[in-house]
Amino acid sequence: MIQRTAWVSALKALPTNKLLALTTKLSEEWTLRPKLLPQSGLGMMKLKDSAFNEAFYLGEFPLATAWLEVTTPDGHKAEGAAQVMDDRVDVAEALALCDAVLSSQLPGWEKVYNLVEQGVALNEKTNGERKMMLARTKVDFSMLDNVGDENAEA
Amino acid sequence: MLKLDPIWQADVQQTNFRLLLDAMAYPGRRFTLHAVRNEGHAALSVLATLLDAEVTLSDPYDLLSSDDWPMLQAKATSADKADYVLCDASQLPKFFPKLGTLSDPEQSATLILKVNKLGKGEKTLKLSGPGIKNIEILTVAGLNTEWLSKRDDWVCAFPLGVDMILVDDQHVVALPRTTKVEVV
């Protein structure tokens, strides 16, 4: 089983319409109740500069959060939450729902897990491509040792 | 997918915020809150409109449910330190609210008092002061007059004081600290 901490990033890697289509279908007969007000906005990344150790804001990034409770028709309850770098509340809600479905293995969890596996594979592929690109930019400075100083006086 | 009660939605909160501003500008005048569906919901609607994670709230009369707290996001604290205090107006006041300081009078408490009915009832109040042309008469049901005598003490050293918002099942009436209240 893929770890819970990887679920959101895996699902986020997939096309949003695929995720929303599944969660809308899954939750058709369920009651969803917010545990926290779902919100989207801007997060601020605070860092400290290395010279004076003073705090500064590197920049803003979109942030959406959701925490909800799911009740199935047979009375089973589950909770899920998500915090994502996205400006869409419905995406955070869908991810929170997937978190609830997977953590409590509610009906249909296999479909969600299948999406998680697809997302993990996609993330691995993207990471592999990035590593290759990074490897290509590597400069081997050791070759410089073999070159003599041309300007040196004989 | 997730259906939120209208009181948590931005457009309703903006409408109710505008309404609360008008209520503060015209003390004693009764305004009808938007999207309030049942009893007890009006006070929650006022809190949903005014509160966020930056302010503190106290509920000394246990009027809120445990589900309401995370939605309101406000930090819980004691009634004598809270920015907002939700009160049962039929009971006796049992705390001393923040009155602000001379340099920061806005650092005072806003009391939201739940009453049984606004515009009808056994208590008749005569209001005067800024925002009121001559006098305003307000009738209230379910307001213990001890709140008004305590209020006289709390607001006697202007600009220090408290602002009150009376709420019934659908309406609000504001009593800012500048309003003079007499029980007729």
Side-chain angles (χ1 to χ4, degrees), chain B residues 27-29 89 113 115 117-129 132 134-149 151-152 164-167 173-176 179-184:
Chain B
R29 204 178 286 181
L113 283 103
V115 298
K117 198 81 191 162
L118 289 164
K120 275 182 191 171
E122 70 281 1
K123 301 272 178 355
T124 303
L125 311 179
K126 193 168 93 177
L127 313 175
S128 57
I132 299 168
N134 304 322
I135 57 157
E136 185 88 41
I137 299 293
L138 173 69
T139 48
V140 191
L143 172 67
N144 191 315
T145 46
E146 190 61 23
W147 286 99
L148 299 174
S149 58
R151 180 185 175 275
D152 287 343
M164 287 180 163
I165 299 173
L166 309 184
V167 187
V173 168
L175 296 178
T179 304
K180 198 176 166 203
V181 183
E182 287 174 62
V183 182
V184 181

Side-chain angles (χ1 to χ4, degrees), chain B:
Chain B
M1 189 171 57
L2 195 61
K3 287 186 179 65
L4 281 176
D5 191 298
I7 66 163
W8 304 110
Q9 288 170 10
D11 55 339
V12 171
Q13 291 186 355
Q14 282 162 14
T15 307
N16 282 339
F17 187 76
R18 179 69 247 173
L19 192 140
L20 287 169
L21 287 180
D22 287 343
M24 279 288 179
Y26 301 104
R29 204 178 286 181
R30 200 175 63 147
F31 291 85
T32 306
L33 286 161
H34 287 250
V36 172
R37 48 179 173 76
N38 53 28
E39 201 181 325
H41 214 56
L44 187 63
S45 177
V46 170
L47 291 175
T49 302
L50 295 175
L51 272 54
D52 64 13
E54 301 298 315
V55 298
T56 53
L57 169 68
S58 179
D59 180 23
Y61 299 91
D62 292 325
L63 299 174
L64 291 174
S65 76
S66 57
D67 290 340
D68 297 330
W69 279 95
M71 294 293 281
L72 291 168
Q73 301 177 75
K75 293 179 276 288
T77 190
S78 57
D80 55 332
K81 291 181 188 153
D83 300 319
Y84 293 89
V85 187
L86 181 60
C87 312
D88 183 345
S90 64
Q91 293 189 39
L92 289 169
K94 54 182 180 183
F95 60 91
F96 190 90
K98 282 200 303 183
L99 304 181
T101 61
L102 284 173
S103 55
D104 297 300
E106 79 285 359
Q107 299 288 321
S108 55
T110 301
L111 311 186
I112 290 117
L113 283 103
K114 273 183 81 169
V115 298
N116 293 339
K117 198 81 191 162
L118 289 164
K120 275 182 191 171
E122 70 281 1
K123 301 272 178 355
T124 303
L125 311 179
K126 193 168 93 177
L127 313 175
S128 57
I132 299 168
K133 197 174 183 182
N134 304 322
I135 57 157
E136 185 88 41
I137 299 293
L138 173 69
T139 48
V140 191
L143 172 67
N144 191 315
T145 46
E146 190 61 23
W147 286 99
L148 299 174
S149 58
K150 286 279 184 194
R151 180 185 175 275
D152 287 343
D153 297 337
W154 295 334
V155 302
C156 68
F158 184 82
L160 308 187
V162 293
D163 302 307
M164 287 180 163
I165 299 173
L166 309 184
V167 187
D168 69 1
D169 52 357
Q170 272 191 325
H171 310 97
V172 284
V173 168
L175 296 178
R177 66 194 70 187
T178 50
T179 304
K180 198 176 166 203
V181 183
E182 287 174 62
V183 182
V184 181

Side-chain angles (χ1 to χ4, degrees), chain A residues 17-38:
Chain A
N17 55 2
K18 203 171 178 180
L19 177 72
L20 293 177
L22 178 64
T23 50
T24 306
K25 193 158 185 274
L26 279 176
S27 61
E28 265 171 0
E29 291 178 6
W30 296 348
T31 307
L32 306 182
R33 195 173 62 84
K35 294 285 285 184
L36 195 70
L37 204 58

